[in-house]
Short mmCIF file of all heavy atoms in Angstrom, two decimals:
data_model
loop_
_atom_site.label_atom_id
_atom_site.label_comp_id
_atom_site.label_asym_id
_atom_site.label_seq_id
_atom_site.Cartn_x
_atom_site.Cartn_y
_atom_site.Cartn_z
N MET A 1 30.47 48.34 -88.77
CA MET A 1 29.41 47.58 -89.38
C MET A 1 28.07 48.16 -88.91
O MET A 1 27.91 48.51 -87.75
CB MET A 1 29.53 46.11 -89.01
CG MET A 1 28.58 45.24 -89.78
SD MET A 1 28.94 43.47 -89.67
CE MET A 1 30.38 43.37 -90.69
N GLU A 2 27.12 48.25 -89.82
CA GLU A 2 25.82 48.85 -89.54
C GLU A 2 24.70 47.82 -89.71
O GLU A 2 24.89 46.78 -90.36
CB GLU A 2 25.57 50.01 -90.49
CG GLU A 2 26.56 51.14 -90.38
CD GLU A 2 26.45 51.88 -89.06
OE1 GLU A 2 25.33 52.01 -88.54
OE2 GLU A 2 27.49 52.32 -88.55
N LEU A 3 23.54 48.14 -89.18
CA LEU A 3 22.37 47.28 -89.30
C LEU A 3 22.07 46.93 -90.76
O LEU A 3 21.76 45.78 -91.08
CB LEU A 3 21.16 47.94 -88.65
CG LEU A 3 19.86 47.17 -88.64
CD1 LEU A 3 20.01 45.85 -87.89
CD2 LEU A 3 18.75 48.00 -88.02
N SER A 4 22.19 47.90 -91.65
CA SER A 4 21.89 47.65 -93.07
C SER A 4 22.84 46.62 -93.69
O SER A 4 22.50 46.00 -94.70
CB SER A 4 21.94 48.96 -93.86
OG SER A 4 23.23 49.52 -93.80
N ASP A 5 24.01 46.40 -93.09
CA ASP A 5 24.93 45.37 -93.59
C ASP A 5 24.33 43.97 -93.48
O ASP A 5 24.74 43.07 -94.20
CB ASP A 5 26.27 45.41 -92.83
CG ASP A 5 27.05 46.69 -93.10
OD1 ASP A 5 26.92 47.25 -94.21
OD2 ASP A 5 27.76 47.14 -92.19
N LEU A 6 23.38 43.80 -92.58
CA LEU A 6 22.76 42.48 -92.41
C LEU A 6 21.73 42.16 -93.49
O LEU A 6 21.33 41.00 -93.65
CB LEU A 6 22.09 42.39 -91.04
CG LEU A 6 23.01 42.53 -89.84
CD1 LEU A 6 22.20 42.48 -88.55
CD2 LEU A 6 24.08 41.46 -89.85
N ASP A 7 21.30 43.18 -94.25
CA ASP A 7 20.27 42.97 -95.27
C ASP A 7 20.65 41.92 -96.31
O ASP A 7 19.78 41.23 -96.83
CB ASP A 7 19.94 44.28 -95.98
CG ASP A 7 19.20 45.27 -95.10
OD1 ASP A 7 18.78 44.89 -93.99
OD2 ASP A 7 19.05 46.42 -95.53
N LYS A 8 21.93 41.78 -96.60
CA LYS A 8 22.33 40.81 -97.63
C LYS A 8 22.10 39.37 -97.19
O LYS A 8 21.90 38.50 -98.01
CB LYS A 8 23.78 41.03 -98.06
CG LYS A 8 24.82 40.84 -96.97
CD LYS A 8 26.20 41.19 -97.50
CE LYS A 8 27.16 41.42 -96.37
NZ LYS A 8 28.42 41.95 -96.85
N TRP A 9 22.10 39.12 -95.90
CA TRP A 9 21.85 37.77 -95.38
C TRP A 9 20.43 37.62 -94.85
O TRP A 9 19.88 36.53 -94.83
CB TRP A 9 22.83 37.41 -94.27
CG TRP A 9 24.25 37.41 -94.70
CD1 TRP A 9 24.83 36.62 -95.65
CD2 TRP A 9 25.29 38.24 -94.19
NE1 TRP A 9 26.16 36.93 -95.77
CE2 TRP A 9 26.48 37.90 -94.87
CE3 TRP A 9 25.34 39.24 -93.22
CZ2 TRP A 9 27.69 38.53 -94.61
CZ3 TRP A 9 26.54 39.85 -92.96
CH2 TRP A 9 27.71 39.50 -93.66
N PHE A 10 19.89 38.72 -94.35
CA PHE A 10 18.57 38.72 -93.72
C PHE A 10 17.75 39.85 -94.34
O PHE A 10 17.66 40.94 -93.77
CB PHE A 10 18.69 38.95 -92.21
CG PHE A 10 19.63 38.02 -91.51
CD1 PHE A 10 20.94 38.40 -91.25
CD2 PHE A 10 19.23 36.76 -91.10
CE1 PHE A 10 21.83 37.56 -90.59
CE2 PHE A 10 20.10 35.90 -90.44
CZ PHE A 10 21.40 36.30 -90.19
N PRO A 11 17.14 39.63 -95.49
CA PRO A 11 16.38 40.72 -96.13
C PRO A 11 15.19 41.15 -95.26
O PRO A 11 14.59 40.32 -94.58
CB PRO A 11 15.90 40.13 -97.44
CG PRO A 11 16.37 38.73 -97.50
CD PRO A 11 17.12 38.40 -96.26
N PRO A 12 14.87 42.45 -95.27
CA PRO A 12 13.71 42.92 -94.52
C PRO A 12 12.46 42.10 -94.90
O PRO A 12 12.28 41.74 -96.06
CB PRO A 12 13.56 44.37 -94.96
CG PRO A 12 14.94 44.77 -95.37
CD PRO A 12 15.54 43.54 -95.98
N CYS A 13 11.65 41.78 -93.90
CA CYS A 13 10.54 40.87 -94.19
C CYS A 13 9.25 41.20 -93.45
O CYS A 13 8.41 40.33 -93.29
CB CYS A 13 10.96 39.43 -93.95
SG CYS A 13 11.64 39.12 -92.33
N GLY A 14 9.07 42.41 -92.99
CA GLY A 14 7.79 42.80 -92.44
C GLY A 14 7.70 42.68 -90.93
O GLY A 14 8.66 42.32 -90.25
N PRO A 15 6.51 42.97 -90.40
CA PRO A 15 6.32 43.05 -88.95
C PRO A 15 6.29 41.68 -88.27
O PRO A 15 5.93 40.67 -88.87
CB PRO A 15 4.97 43.75 -88.80
CG PRO A 15 4.26 43.50 -90.08
CD PRO A 15 5.30 43.38 -91.13
N CYS A 16 6.64 41.70 -87.01
CA CYS A 16 6.63 40.50 -86.17
C CYS A 16 5.19 40.21 -85.73
O CYS A 16 4.53 41.09 -85.18
CB CYS A 16 7.52 40.70 -84.96
SG CYS A 16 7.59 39.29 -83.85
N ALA A 17 4.74 38.99 -85.94
CA ALA A 17 3.38 38.60 -85.55
C ALA A 17 3.24 38.45 -84.04
O ALA A 17 2.12 38.45 -83.53
CB ALA A 17 3.01 37.29 -86.24
N PHE A 18 4.34 38.32 -83.33
CA PHE A 18 4.28 38.11 -81.89
C PHE A 18 4.29 39.41 -81.09
O PHE A 18 3.52 39.58 -80.16
CB PHE A 18 5.43 37.21 -81.42
CG PHE A 18 5.34 35.83 -81.97
CD1 PHE A 18 6.13 35.44 -83.03
CD2 PHE A 18 4.45 34.91 -81.45
CE1 PHE A 18 6.05 34.16 -83.56
CE2 PHE A 18 4.35 33.63 -81.97
CZ PHE A 18 5.15 33.26 -83.03
N CYS A 19 5.19 40.33 -81.47
CA CYS A 19 5.32 41.55 -80.66
C CYS A 19 4.93 42.82 -81.40
O CYS A 19 4.85 43.88 -80.80
CB CYS A 19 6.75 41.68 -80.14
SG CYS A 19 7.96 42.12 -81.41
N GLY A 20 4.73 42.73 -82.72
CA GLY A 20 4.35 43.90 -83.49
C GLY A 20 5.50 44.78 -83.94
O GLY A 20 5.28 45.79 -84.61
N HIS A 21 6.73 44.43 -83.58
CA HIS A 21 7.89 45.20 -84.05
C HIS A 21 7.85 45.24 -85.57
O HIS A 21 7.49 44.26 -86.21
CB HIS A 21 9.19 44.54 -83.55
CG HIS A 21 10.40 45.36 -83.80
ND1 HIS A 21 11.01 45.43 -85.04
CD2 HIS A 21 11.11 46.17 -82.98
CE1 HIS A 21 12.05 46.22 -84.97
NE2 HIS A 21 12.13 46.69 -83.73
N PRO A 22 8.20 46.36 -86.18
CA PRO A 22 8.08 46.47 -87.64
C PRO A 22 9.05 45.58 -88.43
O PRO A 22 8.95 45.50 -89.64
CB PRO A 22 8.35 47.95 -87.91
CG PRO A 22 9.04 48.46 -86.71
CD PRO A 22 8.60 47.61 -85.56
N ASP A 23 9.97 44.92 -87.77
CA ASP A 23 10.95 44.08 -88.47
C ASP A 23 11.09 42.74 -87.74
O ASP A 23 11.73 42.66 -86.71
CB ASP A 23 12.28 44.82 -88.51
CG ASP A 23 13.31 44.16 -89.39
OD1 ASP A 23 13.14 42.97 -89.75
OD2 ASP A 23 14.29 44.82 -89.74
N LYS A 24 10.50 41.69 -88.30
CA LYS A 24 10.51 40.39 -87.61
C LYS A 24 11.86 39.67 -87.63
O LYS A 24 12.02 38.64 -86.99
CB LYS A 24 9.42 39.47 -88.17
CG LYS A 24 9.62 39.03 -89.60
CD LYS A 24 8.43 38.19 -90.05
CE LYS A 24 8.51 37.86 -91.52
NZ LYS A 24 7.31 37.16 -91.96
N ARG A 25 12.82 40.24 -88.32
CA ARG A 25 14.15 39.62 -88.31
C ARG A 25 14.74 39.56 -86.92
O ARG A 25 15.61 38.74 -86.64
CB ARG A 25 15.10 40.39 -89.23
CG ARG A 25 14.66 40.42 -90.67
CD ARG A 25 15.59 41.24 -91.53
NE ARG A 25 15.55 42.65 -91.17
CZ ARG A 25 16.35 43.57 -91.70
NH1 ARG A 25 17.26 43.24 -92.60
NH2 ARG A 25 16.26 44.83 -91.34
N HIS A 26 14.24 40.39 -86.01
CA HIS A 26 14.79 40.44 -84.65
C HIS A 26 14.69 39.07 -83.97
O HIS A 26 15.52 38.75 -83.12
CB HIS A 26 14.10 41.51 -83.81
CG HIS A 26 12.74 41.14 -83.31
ND1 HIS A 26 12.55 40.47 -82.13
CD2 HIS A 26 11.52 41.32 -83.86
CE1 HIS A 26 11.26 40.28 -81.96
NE2 HIS A 26 10.60 40.78 -82.99
N ARG A 27 13.73 38.25 -84.32
CA ARG A 27 13.57 36.95 -83.67
C ARG A 27 14.77 36.05 -83.98
O ARG A 27 15.29 35.37 -83.10
CB ARG A 27 12.26 36.31 -84.08
CG ARG A 27 11.06 37.16 -83.59
CD ARG A 27 9.73 36.51 -83.82
NE ARG A 27 9.60 35.21 -83.20
CZ ARG A 27 9.36 34.97 -81.91
NH1 ARG A 27 9.24 35.98 -81.07
NH2 ARG A 27 9.23 33.75 -81.47
N MET A 28 15.22 36.04 -85.21
CA MET A 28 16.40 35.26 -85.59
C MET A 28 17.64 35.87 -84.95
O MET A 28 18.49 35.16 -84.40
CB MET A 28 16.56 35.21 -87.11
CG MET A 28 17.86 34.57 -87.57
SD MET A 28 18.06 32.83 -87.15
CE MET A 28 17.27 32.06 -88.53
N TRP A 29 17.74 37.18 -84.99
CA TRP A 29 18.92 37.84 -84.42
C TRP A 29 19.01 37.61 -82.92
O TRP A 29 20.09 37.34 -82.40
CB TRP A 29 18.89 39.33 -84.74
CG TRP A 29 19.00 39.64 -86.20
CD1 TRP A 29 19.54 38.83 -87.18
CD2 TRP A 29 18.57 40.81 -86.85
NE1 TRP A 29 19.47 39.46 -88.40
CE2 TRP A 29 18.88 40.67 -88.23
CE3 TRP A 29 17.95 41.97 -86.42
CZ2 TRP A 29 18.59 41.66 -89.17
CZ3 TRP A 29 17.67 42.96 -87.36
CH2 TRP A 29 17.99 42.80 -88.71
N ASP A 30 17.89 37.71 -82.22
CA ASP A 30 17.90 37.46 -80.77
C ASP A 30 18.39 36.05 -80.48
O ASP A 30 19.18 35.84 -79.55
CB ASP A 30 16.51 37.65 -80.17
CG ASP A 30 16.05 39.09 -80.13
OD1 ASP A 30 16.88 40.00 -80.37
OD2 ASP A 30 14.85 39.32 -79.87
N MET A 31 17.92 35.10 -81.26
CA MET A 31 18.33 33.71 -81.05
C MET A 31 19.84 33.57 -81.27
O MET A 31 20.53 32.92 -80.49
CB MET A 31 17.54 32.79 -82.00
CG MET A 31 17.86 31.32 -81.86
SD MET A 31 19.36 30.75 -82.70
CE MET A 31 19.09 31.30 -84.36
N LEU A 32 20.35 34.15 -82.34
CA LEU A 32 21.78 34.04 -82.63
C LEU A 32 22.62 34.70 -81.54
O LEU A 32 23.66 34.18 -81.15
CB LEU A 32 22.11 34.66 -83.99
CG LEU A 32 21.57 33.92 -85.21
CD1 LEU A 32 21.80 34.74 -86.48
CD2 LEU A 32 22.16 32.54 -85.35
N ILE A 33 22.16 35.83 -81.04
CA ILE A 33 22.90 36.55 -79.99
C ILE A 33 22.90 35.75 -78.69
O ILE A 33 23.92 35.67 -78.01
CB ILE A 33 22.29 37.95 -79.78
CG1 ILE A 33 22.55 38.83 -81.00
CG2 ILE A 33 22.84 38.60 -78.51
CD1 ILE A 33 21.72 40.10 -81.03
N ASP A 34 21.77 35.17 -78.33
CA ASP A 34 21.63 34.49 -77.05
C ASP A 34 22.12 33.04 -77.05
O ASP A 34 22.31 32.46 -75.98
CB ASP A 34 20.17 34.50 -76.60
CG ASP A 34 19.68 35.89 -76.26
OD1 ASP A 34 20.52 36.77 -75.98
OD2 ASP A 34 18.45 36.10 -76.28
N ALA A 35 22.33 32.47 -78.21
CA ALA A 35 22.68 31.05 -78.31
C ALA A 35 24.02 30.77 -77.63
O ALA A 35 24.95 31.57 -77.68
CB ALA A 35 22.75 30.63 -79.77
N GLN A 36 24.09 29.61 -77.00
CA GLN A 36 25.32 29.17 -76.34
C GLN A 36 26.24 28.40 -77.29
O GLN A 36 27.40 28.18 -76.97
CB GLN A 36 24.97 28.30 -75.14
CG GLN A 36 24.15 29.02 -74.09
CD GLN A 36 24.88 30.23 -73.53
OE1 GLN A 36 26.03 30.14 -73.12
NE2 GLN A 36 24.22 31.37 -73.51
N ASP A 37 25.71 28.02 -78.44
CA ASP A 37 26.52 27.30 -79.43
C ASP A 37 27.55 28.24 -80.05
O ASP A 37 27.37 29.45 -80.07
CB ASP A 37 25.64 26.72 -80.54
CG ASP A 37 24.67 25.68 -80.01
OD1 ASP A 37 25.13 24.72 -79.37
OD2 ASP A 37 23.45 25.83 -80.23
N SER A 38 28.59 27.64 -80.60
CA SER A 38 29.62 28.43 -81.27
C SER A 38 29.05 29.06 -82.54
O SER A 38 28.10 28.53 -83.13
CB SER A 38 30.81 27.55 -81.63
OG SER A 38 30.45 26.67 -82.68
N PRO A 39 29.64 30.18 -82.99
CA PRO A 39 29.20 30.76 -84.25
C PRO A 39 29.28 29.77 -85.41
O PRO A 39 28.41 29.75 -86.27
CB PRO A 39 30.16 31.94 -84.45
CG PRO A 39 30.55 32.33 -83.07
CD PRO A 39 30.62 31.02 -82.31
N GLU A 40 30.29 28.93 -85.40
CA GLU A 40 30.43 27.92 -86.47
C GLU A 40 29.26 26.94 -86.46
O GLU A 40 28.72 26.58 -87.51
CB GLU A 40 31.77 27.18 -86.33
CG GLU A 40 32.98 28.04 -86.57
CD GLU A 40 33.39 28.90 -85.37
OE1 GLU A 40 32.87 28.70 -84.25
OE2 GLU A 40 34.22 29.78 -85.57
N MET A 41 28.87 26.50 -85.26
CA MET A 41 27.75 25.56 -85.14
C MET A 41 26.45 26.23 -85.56
O MET A 41 25.63 25.63 -86.25
CB MET A 41 27.66 25.04 -83.71
CG MET A 41 26.51 24.07 -83.50
SD MET A 41 26.63 22.56 -84.51
CE MET A 41 27.92 21.71 -83.65
N LEU A 42 26.25 27.48 -85.14
CA LEU A 42 25.04 28.20 -85.52
C LEU A 42 24.95 28.37 -87.04
O LEU A 42 23.88 28.19 -87.63
CB LEU A 42 25.00 29.57 -84.84
CG LEU A 42 24.81 29.54 -83.33
CD1 LEU A 42 25.07 30.92 -82.75
CD2 LEU A 42 23.42 29.05 -82.97
N ALA A 43 26.07 28.71 -87.65
CA ALA A 43 26.09 28.87 -89.10
C ALA A 43 25.70 27.56 -89.78
O ALA A 43 24.89 27.56 -90.72
CB ALA A 43 27.48 29.32 -89.57
N LYS A 44 26.21 26.46 -89.29
CA LYS A 44 25.88 25.16 -89.87
C LYS A 44 24.41 24.80 -89.62
O LYS A 44 23.71 24.37 -90.54
CB LYS A 44 26.79 24.09 -89.28
CG LYS A 44 26.60 22.73 -89.88
CD LYS A 44 27.60 21.74 -89.34
CE LYS A 44 27.38 20.39 -90.00
NZ LYS A 44 28.37 19.43 -89.57
N MET A 45 23.94 24.99 -88.41
CA MET A 45 22.56 24.60 -88.06
C MET A 45 21.53 25.41 -88.84
O MET A 45 20.49 24.87 -89.22
CB MET A 45 22.31 24.80 -86.56
CG MET A 45 23.01 23.79 -85.70
SD MET A 45 22.66 23.85 -83.91
CE MET A 45 22.16 25.48 -83.54
N TYR A 46 21.80 26.68 -89.07
CA TYR A 46 20.82 27.55 -89.73
C TYR A 46 21.18 27.85 -91.18
O TYR A 46 20.56 28.71 -91.80
CB TYR A 46 20.63 28.83 -88.91
CG TYR A 46 19.99 28.52 -87.59
CD1 TYR A 46 20.75 28.39 -86.43
CD2 TYR A 46 18.63 28.26 -87.50
CE1 TYR A 46 20.16 28.06 -85.23
CE2 TYR A 46 18.03 27.93 -86.30
CZ TYR A 46 18.81 27.82 -85.17
OH TYR A 46 18.21 27.48 -83.98
N GLU A 47 22.18 27.14 -91.68
CA GLU A 47 22.60 27.28 -93.08
C GLU A 47 22.88 28.74 -93.44
O GLU A 47 22.36 29.27 -94.42
CB GLU A 47 21.57 26.66 -94.02
CG GLU A 47 21.40 25.17 -93.77
CD GLU A 47 20.38 24.51 -94.68
OE1 GLU A 47 19.70 25.20 -95.47
OE2 GLU A 47 20.27 23.27 -94.61
N LEU A 48 23.67 29.37 -92.59
CA LEU A 48 24.08 30.76 -92.78
C LEU A 48 25.59 30.81 -92.97
O LEU A 48 26.31 29.97 -92.42
CB LEU A 48 23.73 31.59 -91.55
CG LEU A 48 22.27 31.81 -91.25
CD1 LEU A 48 22.10 32.36 -89.83
CD2 LEU A 48 21.67 32.77 -92.27
N PRO A 49 26.08 31.81 -93.68
CA PRO A 49 27.54 31.99 -93.71
C PRO A 49 28.02 32.41 -92.33
O PRO A 49 27.32 33.14 -91.61
CB PRO A 49 27.75 33.10 -94.74
CG PRO A 49 26.43 33.53 -95.21
CD PRO A 49 25.37 32.75 -94.51
N ILE A 50 29.19 31.98 -91.96
CA ILE A 50 29.75 32.34 -90.67
C ILE A 50 29.81 33.87 -90.52
O ILE A 50 29.60 34.40 -89.43
CB ILE A 50 31.13 31.69 -90.44
CG1 ILE A 50 31.64 31.93 -89.01
CG2 ILE A 50 32.15 32.17 -91.45
CD1 ILE A 50 30.86 31.24 -87.94
N GLU A 51 30.05 34.57 -91.63
CA GLU A 51 30.10 36.03 -91.58
C GLU A 51 28.78 36.64 -91.11
O GLU A 51 28.77 37.64 -90.41
CB GLU A 51 30.46 36.60 -92.97
CG GLU A 51 31.83 36.23 -93.46
CD GLU A 51 31.87 34.85 -94.14
OE1 GLU A 51 30.81 34.25 -94.38
OE2 GLU A 51 32.99 34.38 -94.40
N ALA A 52 27.67 36.01 -91.46
CA ALA A 52 26.35 36.50 -91.05
C ALA A 52 26.18 36.36 -89.54
O ALA A 52 25.72 37.29 -88.87
CB ALA A 52 25.24 35.75 -91.78
N VAL A 53 26.56 35.22 -89.01
CA VAL A 53 26.43 34.98 -87.57
C VAL A 53 27.33 35.94 -86.80
O VAL A 53 26.91 36.57 -85.83
CB VAL A 53 26.77 33.52 -87.21
CG1 VAL A 53 26.76 33.30 -85.71
CG2 VAL A 53 25.80 32.56 -87.91
N LEU A 54 28.56 36.09 -87.24
CA LEU A 54 29.50 36.98 -86.56
C LEU A 54 29.04 38.44 -86.63
O LEU A 54 29.19 39.19 -85.67
CB LEU A 54 30.90 36.82 -87.15
CG LEU A 54 31.54 35.45 -86.91
CD1 LEU A 54 32.87 35.35 -87.67
CD2 LEU A 54 31.73 35.16 -85.43
N ALA A 55 28.46 38.83 -87.76
CA ALA A 55 27.97 40.20 -87.91
C ALA A 55 26.83 40.48 -86.94
O ALA A 55 26.78 41.54 -86.30
CB ALA A 55 27.52 40.46 -89.35
N VAL A 56 25.91 39.53 -86.80
CA VAL A 56 24.80 39.72 -85.85
C VAL A 56 25.34 39.84 -84.43
O VAL A 56 24.92 40.69 -83.66
CB VAL A 56 23.79 38.55 -85.96
CG1 VAL A 56 22.80 38.58 -84.81
CG2 VAL A 56 23.04 38.61 -87.29
N LYS A 57 26.30 38.99 -84.08
CA LYS A 57 26.86 39.04 -82.73
C LYS A 57 27.63 40.34 -82.49
O LYS A 57 27.65 40.85 -81.37
CB LYS A 57 27.73 37.82 -82.48
CG LYS A 57 26.89 36.55 -82.30
CD LYS A 57 27.76 35.37 -81.94
CE LYS A 57 26.96 34.18 -81.55
NZ LYS A 57 26.36 34.26 -80.22
N GLU A 58 28.22 40.89 -83.53
CA GLU A 58 28.95 42.16 -83.39
C GLU A 58 27.99 43.34 -83.29
O GLU A 58 28.13 44.20 -82.41
CB GLU A 58 29.87 42.37 -84.59
CG GLU A 58 30.61 43.68 -84.55
CD GLU A 58 31.44 43.93 -85.79
OE1 GLU A 58 31.87 42.97 -86.44
OE2 GLU A 58 31.65 45.12 -86.10
N ILE A 59 27.01 43.39 -84.16
CA ILE A 59 26.08 44.53 -84.21
C ILE A 59 25.08 44.48 -83.08
O ILE A 59 24.68 45.51 -82.54
CB ILE A 59 25.36 44.56 -85.58
CG1 ILE A 59 26.35 44.85 -86.69
CG2 ILE A 59 24.25 45.60 -85.57
CD1 ILE A 59 25.77 44.71 -88.07
N ARG A 60 24.61 43.28 -82.72
CA ARG A 60 23.60 43.08 -81.69
C ARG A 60 22.36 43.94 -81.98
O ARG A 60 21.94 44.76 -81.16
CB ARG A 60 24.15 43.38 -80.30
CG ARG A 60 25.30 42.48 -79.92
CD ARG A 60 25.87 42.78 -78.55
NE ARG A 60 24.88 42.72 -77.50
CZ ARG A 60 24.45 41.61 -76.90
NH1 ARG A 60 24.92 40.44 -77.26
NH2 ARG A 60 23.54 41.67 -75.95
N PRO A 61 21.76 43.75 -83.17
CA PRO A 61 20.64 44.60 -83.55
C PRO A 61 19.48 44.53 -82.56
O PRO A 61 19.09 43.45 -82.11
CB PRO A 61 20.23 44.07 -84.92
CG PRO A 61 20.88 42.75 -85.06
CD PRO A 61 22.04 42.70 -84.11
N TYR A 62 18.95 45.69 -82.25
CA TYR A 62 17.77 45.85 -81.39
C TYR A 62 17.96 45.35 -79.98
O TYR A 62 17.01 45.21 -79.24
CB TYR A 62 16.54 45.20 -82.01
CG TYR A 62 16.25 45.67 -83.41
CD1 TYR A 62 16.14 44.78 -84.45
CD2 TYR A 62 16.10 47.02 -83.67
CE1 TYR A 62 15.89 45.21 -85.74
CE2 TYR A 62 15.84 47.46 -84.95
CZ TYR A 62 15.73 46.56 -85.98
OH TYR A 62 15.49 46.99 -87.24
N ARG A 63 19.17 45.06 -79.56
CA ARG A 63 19.42 44.61 -78.20
C ARG A 63 19.94 45.77 -77.38
O ARG A 63 20.55 46.70 -77.90
CB ARG A 63 20.46 43.47 -78.20
CG ARG A 63 20.05 42.26 -79.01
CD ARG A 63 18.90 41.58 -78.39
NE ARG A 63 19.43 40.82 -77.27
CZ ARG A 63 18.85 39.79 -76.73
NH1 ARG A 63 17.70 39.39 -77.19
NH2 ARG A 63 19.38 39.15 -75.73
N ARG A 64 19.74 45.69 -76.09
CA ARG A 64 20.26 46.73 -75.20
C ARG A 64 21.75 46.88 -75.44
O ARG A 64 22.49 45.91 -75.41
CB ARG A 64 20.01 46.35 -73.77
CG ARG A 64 20.45 47.43 -72.80
CD ARG A 64 19.99 47.11 -71.43
NE ARG A 64 18.52 46.99 -71.49
CZ ARG A 64 17.76 46.83 -70.45
NH1 ARG A 64 18.27 46.74 -69.27
NH2 ARG A 64 16.47 46.73 -70.60
N GLY A 65 22.18 48.06 -75.72
CA GLY A 65 23.59 48.32 -75.98
C GLY A 65 23.99 48.09 -77.42
O GLY A 65 25.08 48.41 -77.82
N GLY A 66 23.07 47.53 -78.23
CA GLY A 66 23.37 47.29 -79.64
C GLY A 66 22.95 48.49 -80.48
O GLY A 66 22.32 49.42 -79.99
N HIS A 67 23.30 48.47 -81.73
CA HIS A 67 22.94 49.54 -82.65
C HIS A 67 21.47 49.41 -83.03
O HIS A 67 20.90 48.33 -83.02
CB HIS A 67 23.80 49.45 -83.91
CG HIS A 67 25.24 49.49 -83.63
ND1 HIS A 67 25.92 50.67 -83.42
CD2 HIS A 67 26.16 48.52 -83.49
CE1 HIS A 67 27.19 50.40 -83.19
NE2 HIS A 67 27.36 49.10 -83.22
N LYS A 68 20.86 50.53 -83.37
CA LYS A 68 19.49 50.52 -83.86
C LYS A 68 19.44 51.12 -85.22
O LYS A 68 20.23 51.88 -85.60
CB LYS A 68 18.57 51.28 -82.92
CG LYS A 68 18.39 50.54 -81.62
CD LYS A 68 17.27 51.15 -80.85
CE LYS A 68 17.07 50.33 -79.58
NZ LYS A 68 15.98 50.70 -78.80
#
């Protein structure tokens, strides 16, 4: 699975207003990766398909050790 696979759930949306990273999606991805809740709970809370949450946790975009 590649970073571009996440585009179907998280379309590119421009730079981050907080850190200046060219892709502000990292804020949602960081939260999903760091969350202590189950993937099922996260999917329900953020109205995402479970596949989206699991893909972020697998790819770990922009995180140390994750794909870029």
Side-chain angles (χ1 to χ4, degrees):
M1 189 167 287
E2 298 293 325
L3 181 61
S4 62
D5 293 329
L6 298 177
D7 290 351
K8 62 185 163 188
W9 300 298
F10 308 97
C13 54
C16 180
F18 295 102
C19 72
H21 189 280
D23 190 343
K24 67 183 173 185
R25 299 177 294 174
H26 77 88
R27 297 187 57 79
M28 173 64 87
W29 296 337
D30 290 348
M31 181 280 306
L32 291 172
I33 291 166
D34 293 339
Q36 299 300 310
D37 296 306
S38 70
E40 293 80 11
M41 180 62 74
L42 292 168
K44 184 175 181 176
M45 288 185 335
Y46 293 99
E47 298 180 355
L48 292 166
I50 187 68
E51 295 84 9
V53 175
L54 294 174
V56 169
K57 287 184 171 285
E58 177 184 333
I59 294 172
R60 299 179 56 82
Y62 306 125
R63 301 293 283 203
R64 183 171 301 187
H67 304 278
K68 290 192 177 186

